Amino acid sequence: MSYEEIMGKRQALLDRTDWLIGEAQDGLDETRRVKCVLIHTREILDDLDEQFRIKTGLTAGDTTLLFLAVGLQIVRQYLVTRFPEPLDDQVAAKRTPGHGEEHSDRRHRLYNPSLQEIITNPVPFDALIGSDGALKGGGKMGHRVTAIGHDPLLGLVFGTANIATSTLTTSSLQSYHIYTNDRKRDYFRSHARTDLVLGKTVEKAIYGGTEGRMIVAVSLAKEIVHLKSDLYTKNSLPLPGISLVNSELAGLLGSYGFHMANVITVGKQASYAAMINFLIAVIHRMFAPELTGMEEKLYEVRTRKILDYSDAIATSTNLAVTAVTRNLKLLDLGGLAVTVHRLITDRKFIRNVKREFIFGQYKDIIENKSACQILSENGGK
């Protein structure tokens, strides 16, 4: 091997050694840098937590929107969606659009009353005279449970068929012909066949020509009007479908307030509360600058805080007012449900955004070559 070759290998070896030393030094520096960051991890995380709090804190504009939301929710609670006072049956009927003057005068043709008779007579499933126990088992709600024409859902089928055939069908699916007595009141006359009650109605709708279809249409309209007139009376209407399964249970639930009037009111409370929240969220978003990525998520955290705080304030005041007045009709159950749901789901969302923000920033600090120097200069902050 020549001298030149030996010197070349020597130089290559020296270069390789220098490279290894440089790599080792870089590794040592990186290790020291990461160690420095790890030493200050607690301070870093505390600082990032404070940054998140500041970035998602409510501004003056946010606070104004928060109190607007509280005001809207309170107005809704006491003026729009409070539980209604129950009405007398006659008063409710007079206040229901489409409910005309009625009198019982059934000129009976089995399963085939005339259109005029259907219009001028009351619904047959309100008959009580001569029931001989056929309508027992409804508890305080009485025949509203055991006459299935009063079911908010099944009544659209059975109640319509009863009106179209001048019959009454019970929750046990037994049917009866309803007649008019000498005192011009409806009464149970004899048994009817439930299959014919439904079959004759379908027959009129399909094969009865214009008059038959008119009879079914008017019967359906009369059924809907009657359900609406009964809805906010003292006994209201049972929950859908339960009467058919267990009439006693439907009556018991109704006596504890689990009836259609209250269910609809609670539904209105929840839907209106959610509608107000949506409106406030839209308004808050309208004032947002152009945002992307994490900044957009941080802004949404502020939006959700506005909704959570306003819902919590409105619900708390409602519970306090209800407790002080001992008036359960003031209770905003639907709004309470919306508040609880929002607090659970929004807390999860905010927690996830906070985790993403903190650990995303922490990763950037670890990858920053001058992070340790900056931390040292700032005293770990």
Side-chain angles (χ1 to χ4, degrees):
M1 182 180 295
S2 66
Y3 176 76
E4 289 78 10
E5 290 176 334
I6 293 174
M7 292 304 293
K9 288 183 177 292
R10 176 180 176 275
Q11 187 60 45
L13 183 60
L14 289 174
D15 292 343
R16 178 66 177 172
T17 301
D18 289 341
W19 181 83
L20 289 173
I21 292 174
E23 286 294 304
Q25 186 62 48
D26 290 344
L28 181 61
D29 291 343
E30 180 66 13
T31 300
R32 287 172 176 171
R33 187 184 68 80
V34 172
K35 178 182 177 182
C36 179
V37 173
L38 292 177
I39 289 174
H40 293 290
T41 290
R42 171 53 59 188
E43 293 89 341
I44 294 171
L45 294 179
D46 288 344
D47 181 60
L48 291 175
D49 185 77
E50 179 65 13
Q51 288 184 39
F52 180 83
R53 186 190 67 79
I54 293 173
K55 288 179 177 292
T56 60
L58 300 188
T59 65
D62 295 342
T63 304
T64 300
L65 200 56
L66 185 153
F67 283 107
L68 172 62
V70 172
L72 290 175
Q73 293 289 8
I74 290 176
V75 169
R76 172 194 61 78
Q77 288 171 342
Y78 301 111
L79 298 182
V80 182
T81 59
R82 62 182 295 175
F83 288 94
E85 292 292 335
L87 301 173
D88 178 80
D89 288 4
Q90 286 72 29
V91 173
K94 289 180 180 179
R95 292 185 180 181
T96 304
H99 199 290
E101 198 68 34
E102 297 174 329
H103 58 277
S104 185
D105 185 20
R106 302 184 189 276
R107 305 174 185 275
H108 222 284
R109 294 176 291 171
L110 291 182
Y111 304 105
N112 194 29
S114 67
L115 178 60
Q116 184 63 25
E117 185 177 325
I118 289 173
I119 294 173
T120 58
N121 278 263
V123 295
F125 47 82
D126 264 349
L128 299 174
I129 299 173
S131 62
D132 194 24
L135 297 177
K136 67 179 181 180
K140 291 184 178 180
M141 294 188 73
H143 77 290
R144 296 281 175 86
V145 168
T146 50
I148 204 168
H150 290 103
D151 187 285
L153 185 60
L154 298 176
L156 297 175
V157 176
F158 288 95
T160 299
N162 288 155
I163 296 170
T165 58
S166 196
T167 57
L168 180 151
T169 301
T170 68
S171 57
S172 60
L173 297 183
Q174 299 295 314
S175 295
Y176 300 84
H177 291 294
I178 303 301
Y179 280 63
T180 301
N181 63 18
D182 295 336
R183 300 176 64 183
K184 299 297 181 181
R185 299 185 64 185
D186 286 343
Y187 74 101
F188 285 62
R189 173 68 178 270
S190 58
H191 281 275
R193 289 172 51 185
T194 303
D195 60 325
L196 287 181
V197 169
L198 298 174
K200 291 290 185 180
T201 304
V202 173
E203 183 180 307
K204 292 174 185 179
I206 298 177
Y207 305 111
T210 302
E211 183 181 1
R213 287 189 288 272
M214 182 64 72
I215 285 175
V216 175
V218 170
S219 297
L220 176 59
K222 196 175 185 75
E223 168 69 14
I224 294 172
V225 169
H226 187 78
L227 291 177
K228 289 180 65 176
S229 71
D230 281 349
L231 182 60
Y232 292 111
T233 58
K234 182 178 179 181
N235 291 326
S236 187
L237 298 172
L239 299 180
I242 299 180
S243 301
L244 191 62
V245 178
N246 190 325
S247 59
E248 291 185 359
L249 175 61
L252 181 63
L253 290 174
S255 67
Y256 283 104
F258 293 97
H259 50 67
M260 281 304 296
N262 287 345
V263 168
I264 289 177
T265 300
V266 172
K268 286 173 60 178
Q269 291 173 342
S271 60
Y272 285 22
M275 190 183 305
I276 291 174
N277 285 339
F278 175 76
L279 175 63
I280 296 299
V282 169
I283 294 174
H284 190 239
R285 184 62 185 174
M286 288 171 58
F287 290 99
E290 290 293 329
L291 300 172
T292 57
M294 178 53 65
E295 290 300 320
E296 184 176 13
K297 292 181 179 179
L298 293 175
Y299 192 86
E300 185 175 349
V301 168
R302 285 168 53 193
T303 302
R304 296 195 180 216
K305 282 186 175 182
I306 292 172
L307 302 181
D308 290 345
Y309 294 162
S310 62
D311 284 356
I313 292 171
T315 297
S316 298
T317 57
N318 176 257
L319 291 174
V321 169
T322 303
V324 170
T325 62
R326 297 184 180 181
N327 184 359
L328 290 178
K329 292 188 180 299
L330 298 178
L331 184 61
D332 181 33
L333 278 176
L336 174 62
V338 170
T339 299
V340 172
H341 179 263
R342 285 213 67 95
L343 289 176
I344 293 173
T345 56
D346 288 348
R347 181 182 179 186
K348 181 179 179 181
F349 174 83
I350 294 173
R351 185 170 60 247
N352 290 338
V353 172
K354 183 176 182 179
R355 183 185 297 113
E356 184 180 348
F357 171 81
I358 289 178
F359 287 105
Q361 294 290 313
Y362 184 70
K363 179 183 177 183
D364 292 341
I365 291 173
I366 290 178
E367 294 176 351
N368 186 352
K369 297 298 183 181
S370 56
C372 189
Q373 180 181 352
I374 296 173
L375 288 169
S376 299
E377 292 175 352
N378 294 338
K381 294 294 183 179

